[in-house]
């Protein structure tokens, strides 16, 4: 019945001129064709489409059947008639109006969600490429529309992070990236081949659309993508291969990446990149940072860089890209900033990086992570003396993290040690400059009311630094300026610390006593209990666990008190003994 109905519609349309086709005819053709597919009359439908007499009708109306055919291919994966569906799709792509087909295919690509996104993209990329290549006018616009639609859908897919996720590729992103490269290649080649033959304006438009796509791809998925670490597996990494192809496209269409990386952010550009209407500066910055990471850390096309560029020059231009990464909270993105910084620093000799390079403000505020702390040490090692001094001051003022501050104080101690051993003066870690730095170290932020447990790492590092200074610098020499400032150190640091320790120990001892008195009742009821320490309630936990926490705090206070007593003992010995006696102090 459906076949007869379709034949009846076609017979009536055969006697009409193309311009006389009505909207009603299109609707009836689509409904009848849809019924033929639904009822399984696919072979008869193929005969109708292939009939030369129906060429004009199929050219104008056939694109309406693409949707039903595509849905059959997606839904009926085990259907024995799949080969007929594929044949029909190929015929429709070959015979139908390419302009209408383009819009129809893009609408189909925009429909699905989840795992179906990759399925329909992989199914329609080849037909879409064929349709665009058939278009005679506005090809650049069509390429741009297609790439934008494809990218928008792919950006909805989760980016695989682990090697296992990349290999299983559950959502098909890796497969789509590979297929998207093959889809784009003919248009890149067209730009290359038509530089002399084509209409310049159309060629430039196509280049612009391809450039947009490359920038978008650098941002998603490549900004967050992770790559195989072992070089022998690099060739099997689909996302790395995708990145390599995108960078290759940039060079092929006349935008080699060295120009782009080194000129992004400059007030005066030496290359004219497109002012994208939909691209904001932040998005472009993400793309450029991603490109810098791929080149310098992953080594993709790094051989294109001029060999004359110095390590400090490369680091200078990567500073902005590093900052983009470090401003992000996602570990996969943040870690790339750390890797890019490490890559730049490892190229530079120790103590040779001028203090003027201290430009990465965001890096100074987020060094708490384990890998970042190791990177911070590398950064410190590369800086000259003034740079180290400036960095230490900045971090002590901004970190608000006891562990990081303890790390910095240990580095200050190391630099003082180096300075005292040198024959020539180092003004940054001796005398007045050092005293100014010690003012940030040897003090309690809130006096005796400071939370000693929260700041224990910093306090212990400060006491150890003070002990070192007392031992290494005699009162007579006073190279560090310590002995001139001793009264201020006692008033701002040692005395408040004594008072704070007494208050804190008394408080915790009272809490232990209270917890012990109440523990029997709690054990009988088998409930959890809570204890308030320093104005904050310890989370509910078994009484024995809370007692362990409280005793651990007391142990920390005893340790601080022990080191404090040793420091005061050394100060007393130094101020009362002769220089000869000081020799035996260790």
């Amino acid at each position: 019945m459906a076949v007869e109905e379709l034949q009846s519609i076609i017979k009536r349309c055969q006697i009409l001129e193309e311009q006389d086709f009505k909207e009603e005819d299109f609707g009836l053709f689509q409904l009848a064709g849809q019924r033929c597919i639904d009822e399984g009359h696919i072979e008869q439908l193929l005969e109708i489409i292939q009939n030369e007499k129906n060429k004009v009708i199929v050219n104008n109306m056939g694109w309406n059947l693409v949707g039903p055919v595509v849905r059959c291919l997606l839904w009926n994966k085990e259907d024995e008639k799949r080969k007929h569906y594929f044949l029909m799709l190929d015929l429709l792509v070959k015979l139908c109006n390419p302009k209408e087909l383009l819009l129809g295919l893009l609408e189909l690509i925009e429909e699905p969600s989840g795992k179906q996104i990759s399925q329909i993209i992989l199914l329609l990329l080849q037909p879409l490429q064929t349709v665009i290549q058939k278009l005679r006018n506005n090809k650049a616009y069509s390429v741009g529309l297609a790439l934008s639609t494809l990218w928008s859908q792919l950006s909805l897919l989760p980016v695989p992070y682990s090697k296992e996720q990349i290999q299983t590729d559950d959502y098909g992103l890796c497969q789509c990236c590979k297929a998207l490269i093959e889809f784009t290649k003919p248009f890149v080649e067209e730009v290359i081949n038509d530089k002399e033959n084509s209409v310049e304006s159309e060629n430039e438009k196509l280049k612009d659309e391809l450039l947009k796509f490359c920038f978008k791809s650098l941002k998603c998925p490549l900004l967050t993508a992770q790559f195989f670490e072992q070089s022998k597996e690099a060739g099997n990494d689909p996302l790395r291969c995708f990145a390599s192809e995108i960078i290759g496209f940039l060079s092929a269409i006349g935008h080699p990446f060295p120009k782009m990386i080194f000129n992004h952010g400059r007030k005066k550009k030496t290359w004219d990149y497109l002012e994208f209407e939909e691209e904001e500066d932040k998005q472009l910055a993400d793309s450029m940072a991603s490109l810098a990471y791929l080149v310098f850390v992953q080594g993709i096309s790094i051989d294109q860089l001029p060999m004359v560029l110095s390590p400090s020059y490369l680091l200078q231009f990567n500073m902005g890209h590093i900052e983009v990464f470090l401003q992000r909270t996602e570990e996969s993105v943040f870690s790339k900033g750390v890797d890019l910084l490490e890559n730049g620093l490892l190229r530079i000799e120790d103590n040779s990086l001028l203090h003027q390079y201290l430009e990465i403000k965001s890096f100074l505020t987020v060094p708490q992570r384990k890998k970042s702390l190791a990177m911070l040490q590398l950064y410190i090692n590369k800086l000259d003396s003034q740079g180290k001094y400036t960095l230490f001051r900045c971090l002590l003022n901004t970190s608000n993290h006891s562990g990081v501050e303890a790390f910095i104080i240990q580095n200050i101690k190391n630099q003082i040690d180096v300075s005292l051993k040198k024959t020539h003066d180092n003004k940054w870690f001796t005398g007045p400059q050092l005293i100014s730095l010690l003012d940030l170290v040897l003090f309690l932020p809130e006096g005796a009311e400071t939370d000693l447990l929260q700041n224990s790492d910093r306090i212990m590092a400060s006491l150890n630094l003070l002990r070192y200074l007392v031992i290494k610098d005699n009162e007579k020499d006073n190279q560090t300026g310590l002995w001139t400032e001793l009264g201020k150190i006692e008033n701002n640091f040692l005395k408040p610390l004594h008072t704070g320790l007494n208050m804190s120990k008394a408080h915790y001892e009272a809490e232990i006593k209270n917890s012990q008195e109440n523990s029997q009742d709690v054990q009988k009821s088998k409930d959890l209990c809570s204890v308030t320490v320093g104005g904050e309630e310890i989370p509910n936990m078994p009484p024995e666990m809370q007692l362990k926490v409280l005793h651990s705090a007391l142990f920390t206070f005893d340790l601080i008190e022990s080191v404090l007593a040793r420091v005061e003992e050394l100060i007393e010995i130094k101020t009362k003994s002769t220089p000869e006696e000081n020799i035996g102090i260790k």
Side-chain angles (χ1 to χ4, degrees), residues 327-343:
Q327 287 173 341
R328 299 286 288 266
T329 57
E330 309 98 305
E331 177 62 30
S332 60
V333 182
F334 180 93
S335 63
K336 288 186 177 182
V338 177
D339 290 342
L340 185 55
L341 179 59
E342 178 184 31
N343 181 275

Side-chain angles (χ1 to χ4, degrees), residues 351-394:
N351 305 308
S352 65
L353 186 61
L354 300 178
H355 60 275
Q356 288 90 341
Y357 285 91
L358 289 172
E359 298 173 358
I360 311 180
K361 295 178 182 178
S362 58
F363 185 77
L364 306 180
T365 60
V366 283
Q368 294 94 324
R369 307 185 194 194
K370 185 176 180 181
K371 190 172 183 182
S372 296
L373 209 57
M375 196 56 47
L376 180 57
Q377 186 62 63
L378 179 61
Y379 198 20
I380 290 168
N381 294 344
K382 301 302 177 182
L383 287 165
D384 60 16
S385 293
Q386 184 177 350
K388 290 181 174 72
Y389 180 87
T390 304
L391 182 62
F392 294 159
R393 288 190 66 91
C394 183

Side-chain angles (χ1 to χ4, degrees), residues 3 34 39 87-88 108 112 115 178 269 330 477 517:
V3 175
Q34 172 79 62
E39 295 176 11
L87 177 58
M88 180 171 291
L108 288 170
K115 293 184 178 181
K178 182 178 180 181
K269 309 285 185 182
E330 309 98 305
D477 297 331
E517 290 174 352

Side-chain angles (χ1 to χ4, degrees), residues 21 23 46 55 162 172 174 177 179 235 281 350 377 380 452 475 492 494 572 579:
F21 292 158
E23 187 175 341
L46 278 170
K55 182 177 180 180
S162 68
C174 297
C177 286
D281 288 343
D350 286 357
Q377 186 62 63
I380 290 168
L452 302 186
E475 186 174 5
N492 292 345
L494 300 180
E572 184 178 0

